[in-house]
Structure formats: C-alpha cells, structure tokens
Amino acid sequence: MTDTSIKPRRVRFSWEETPLHWVPGDPFTTHLINVLHMLLPAGERWFVHVFKQALPYIQDPRLKAEVKGFMGQEGTHAVAHQRVLEHMREQGLDPGPYVENIEWIFERMLGDDTMPPIARTYWLKERVALIAAIEHYTAVLGQWILDARPLDDAGADAVMMDLLRWHGAEEVEHRSVAFDLFMHLDGSYARRTRTMMVTGPMIVLLLKRGAGFLMANDPILRGRLRAKWTHYFYRAHQGRVPTLRSLALAVPRYLRPGFHPSQEGDLRQALDYIAISPAHAEFLSLTSETYRRSQ
Ligand SMILES: [Fe+2]
Ligand SMILES: [Fe+2]
C-alpha cells in the first residue's frame, strides 16, 4: 500500500464554555468567522462526494492515496463544524435558513444532475477544478488563522481558536491534493482561470451574506447592530479578519504559470500546531483512558 502522510485525525471539542460572542465584545468578527461553520459542512461533504467519483480515473497510486486521505480529513472537518452549528442553535441562534441555501448550492446547483449524463466527465472536471480553486482559499485562510495573533490578543475563545487552527493546519497540510488531482485529470489553464474567477467573488459574497444573516438573527444583538463594510475594514485593519487585499492577491498567485500549492503556506508551522492541538491531544488521552479501563 502506498503510504501518505495525509490522514484524518480524530479530535474532540468541548463547546459548553464557548460564549455566543466568542471574540469578546466583537460580534462582527465572531459572526464573519462563524459563516465558515455554515459553509463548510455542506461544502466539505460535497468535496468528498465529487472526489469519490474521481477516484476511478486516478492512475497514480500515490495521488489516489492522498485523495483518500484528503476525503477523510474533509469528512472530519464537516462533522466538527456541524457541532458548532448545534451549539449556536442551543444558544438561540438558528443558522437553519442560511444553511439550507448553502446546501442547495452544493447539493443541487453543483450536484450530479445539473448537467445531462452525456456531460458527466466534463462536469466532473469542472467540479474538481472548482474544488482546487476553493482549496487555494482554504489554504490561504488556514495559514492566516495559524498566524492570527490579534484574535488571541482580543481574548478569542480557546476552543474555537483550536478548531479553526486544527482545521487551518490540515488545510495547509493537504493544500496540494485537489490541485494535483485537477492537473492529473485535466489541467486546462482556461478551466483553472474560469473556476478561480467564480470562486473568489463567490467566497466574498457568501461571507458577506452569512455575516449579515447571523448579525440580524443574533439573540443578544436583537437587530440593534447590522453587519457593515465599515466593521469589516476596521476589524481587518486590526488583523482580526483577513484583508480584502490579501484575498484578492491570492488570485493572481493561483493563475501564475508554474504555480503549485506547495509554494503556499508553512507546512512545518501547520504540523507543529497539530502536534500541540488540545482537541487532538484530548481525543488521544480519551482513547488511551478508555483503553486502560478496558484492560
Ligand atoms: Fe477542510
Ligand atoms: Fe481542504
């Protein structure tokens, strides 16, 4: 069997102590980042669904093993973020209506039946290219959260920061897999450009609308504070959310001939974080405890 370092890791997060505004006194930053919990479960389940269809076309055993490891990691991420949505619901913020829109996008608009059966291969290549473009952004955001000291300085909840950093670190770790799969199956520069041109603005639009939804439905704010661009620019200036400039500059990097995702992010830093992630350590200690008791 081909060995690959990309494998899902078990984690355990305890949400009991995490407040609704987990960046204290900063509901805007809290909710802008919370949009990820609404996007990722449906999005990452869709990655796994599409990649499962791509598996039979992969000729390289090493890439195939990496794609399987990637699928395991994304499936684990989806479950972890889903739990945060349950916690938000318990705190009186129902993400349901927005999540239903997101599920419609991934399951219907980008689903298997959007194109006629004759276009099956075309549609598979198109969706793999879309995932590669999205994964460029998840790697950029993953590195950003690993570096985001201003959130720690603001007193952001430690469990939430661990979830985001564990996920971000695995995004940096598997940043090349979707791109390598796209290049293996197709690699068309026109498709790479087209899908990235859709992905960048889509991510910004979904984040903006999601933050607006959460701010409007927040049971503490009760409609007194709305999401505004001025909030965004202020928090980006403070380093609590990524700047628009950093998101925009990611596009030409992806489109540069000779680009490879391995040039992005700091793998050593990502793996170092995973080694000390409390969620991963908690799971390991829990399993060894169960094992000891069973002896
Ligand atoms: Fe992920
Ligand atoms: Fe990913």
Side-chain angles (χ1 to χ4, degrees), residues 38-285:
M38 302 198 291
L39 297 180
L40 293 170
E44 295 184 311
R45 284 197 303 265
W46 176 75
F47 290 1
V48 174
H49 176 81
V50 172
F51 276 20
K52 210 178 268 176
Q53 293 177 32
L55 280 176
Y57 299 98
I58 304 175
Q59 307 299 330
D60 174 353
R62 185 174 174 82
L63 178 60
K64 198 173 216 169
E66 286 184 348
V67 168
K68 286 181 179 171
F70 173 99
M71 290 162 70
Q73 289 193 343
E74 298 295 26
T76 312
H77 300 165
V79 172
H81 287 277
Q82 188 76 40
R83 299 243 160 86
V84 183
L85 293 183
E86 288 159 21
H87 181 57
M88 277 164 66
R89 211 170 271 128
E90 285 160 11
Q91 291 171 308
L93 209 179
D94 180 13
Y98 191 81
V99 170
E100 279 166 27
N101 288 338
I102 300 302
E103 287 174 346
W104 183 86
I105 291 175
F106 286 111
E107 290 165 19
R108 298 268 163 247
M109 198 175 105
L110 297 171
D112 298 340
D113 300 330
T114 300
M115 293 276 165
I118 195 163
R120 194 177 179 277
T121 316
Y122 164 86
W123 188 223
L124 180 62
K125 286 178 186 172
E126 199 74 8
R127 291 187 293 173
V128 167
L130 261 179
I131 295 172
I134 298 170
E135 282 288 295
H136 178 55
Y137 269 105
T138 58
V140 167
L141 293 174
Q143 183 64 44
W144 180 85
I145 195 72
L146 286 170
D147 291 332
R149 294 294 144 222
L151 282 173
D152 302 304
D153 297 343
D157 180 73
V159 179
M160 188 63 82
M161 289 306 292
D162 185 32
L163 166 73
L164 296 168
R165 285 189 171 137
W166 155 74
H167 188 169
E170 290 199 342
E171 291 303 322
V172 172
E173 182 187 28
H174 73 218
R175 64 204 188 288
S176 300
V177 178
F179 186 83
D180 287 347
L181 177 60
F182 164 65
M183 295 304 280
H184 184 73
L185 296 183
D186 180 56
S188 146
Y189 189 76
R191 178 167 278 139
R192 176 166 141 193
T193 310
R194 183 169 68 241
T195 47
M196 176 46 94
M197 288 312 182
V198 175
T199 298
M202 246 341 238
I203 289 176
V204 173
L205 182 74
L206 291 175
L207 284 169
K208 179 186 178 294
R209 295 194 61 164
F213 170 85
L214 290 172
M215 293 282 280
N217 291 282
D218 183 307
I220 299 173
L221 299 177
R222 286 191 274 161
R224 287 191 300 259
L225 189 68
R226 296 283 172 156
K228 291 198 184 117
W229 278 106
T230 46
H231 296 142
Y232 170 74
F233 289 119
Y234 178 55
R235 297 308 183 187
H237 174 72
Q238 286 184 312
R240 293 187 184 190
V241 294
T243 60
L244 267 186
R245 186 169 183 273
S246 69
L247 297 177
L249 286 176
V251 175
R253 284 208 306 280
Y254 185 76
L255 297 180
R256 199 185 57 228
F259 165 82
H260 189 265
S262 57
Q263 300 152 358
E264 294 274 323
D266 185 337
L267 181 61
R268 186 70 266 152
Q269 185 187 0
L271 296 179
D272 284 350
Y273 183 78
I274 290 168
I276 56 143
S277 162
H280 190 45
E282 193 175 334
F283 177 81
L284 293 178
S285 75

